[in-house]
Amino acid sequence: MPDHIMTPTDVLSQHWPSAELPIDPAIIARNAGIDVEPLPVGSAPGISGEYLPLGPKGRPVIYYNADDPENRIRFTIAHELGHHFLGHGRRFRDFRENSAERYNPCEVAANRFAADILMPRIYLNVLINKKGITSLQDLTNLFQVSEAAMTYRLGNLGFLSA
């Protein structure tokens, strides 16, 4: 676990110095000394990822479900990074419909952290307001996220009017 809680901005400046798009959460994790590996075969169904502060190799590890779509894998890894940098301890990511995850404050914070890592406000601001890129499809392609994630992020940041 990190010595102190880090903001997404701190994480990006320390572990993604290229500032290029798309942001790769797996590279950020590895740069931070966190192993990133697929979930072991036979893991619980519906689990998209897991964070262990102390993995089998003596380092933190993020597991992801290799059967998930690439955009979900990227979001899951960024979400698990949130647990690491926010000091939440061991967590797993459950996408099943009846999951209580969406009501857990740690899970909500990790989701917000993931959005901040994958779709930083400053990047969106430059692309939308300075470069005039407003197409949802163009933005999802640039950031390599789902349309749902981008739509939610744009709304949350006030780029979409109600």
Side-chain angles (χ1 to χ4, degrees):
M1 218 174 331
D3 294 334
H4 63 286
I5 292 174
M6 293 180 69
T7 68
T9 302
D10 293 338
V11 171
L12 287 169
S13 67
Q14 290 183 29
H15 302 293
W16 190 251
S18 73
E20 294 177 9
L21 287 176
I23 295 165
D24 189 331
I27 290 174
I28 291 172
R30 291 182 184 109
N31 287 345
I34 304 166
D35 292 333
V36 178
E37 301 176 10
L39 279 163
V41 175
S43 296
I47 301 301
S48 283
E50 182 176 15
Y51 169 69
L52 296 175
L54 188 61
K57 298 176 187 170
R59 297 185 295 269
V61 63
I62 290 172
Y63 291 108
Y64 62 91
N65 186 333
D67 293 332
D68 280 348
E70 186 61 32
N71 288 343
R72 179 169 284 177
I73 289 171
R74 289 170 39 74
F75 197 90
T76 294
I77 293 170
H79 173 97
E80 302 304 340
L81 277 173
H83 289 311
H84 174 79
F85 287 112
L86 296 172
H88 292 163
R90 183 178 185 173
R91 295 284 177 188
F92 67 92
R93 186 158 174 71
D94 184 347
F95 271 105
R96 290 177 289 200
E97 191 63 36
N98 61 353
S99 171
E101 173 179 306
R102 68 189 100 160
Y103 305 110
N104 181 314
C106 288
E107 298 303 321
V108 171
N111 280 339
R112 188 173 299 122
F113 190 97
D116 289 345
I117 286 288
L118 294 175
M119 302 166 279
R121 175 190 295 268
I122 192 165
Y123 287 49
L124 285 165
N125 190 46
V126 167
L127 290 170
I128 293 168
N129 294 320
K130 305 244 189 258
K131 295 192 175 196
I133 300 172
T134 58
S135 158
L136 180 62
Q137 190 60 54
D138 289 346
L139 291 169
T140 59
N141 289 340
L142 284 166
F143 288 90
Q144 289 188 5
V145 296
S146 69
E147 285 189 16
M150 182 59 72
T151 300
Y152 184 82
R153 181 72 171 153
L154 292 172
N156 192 36
L157 295 177
F159 287 109
L160 298 177
S161 54

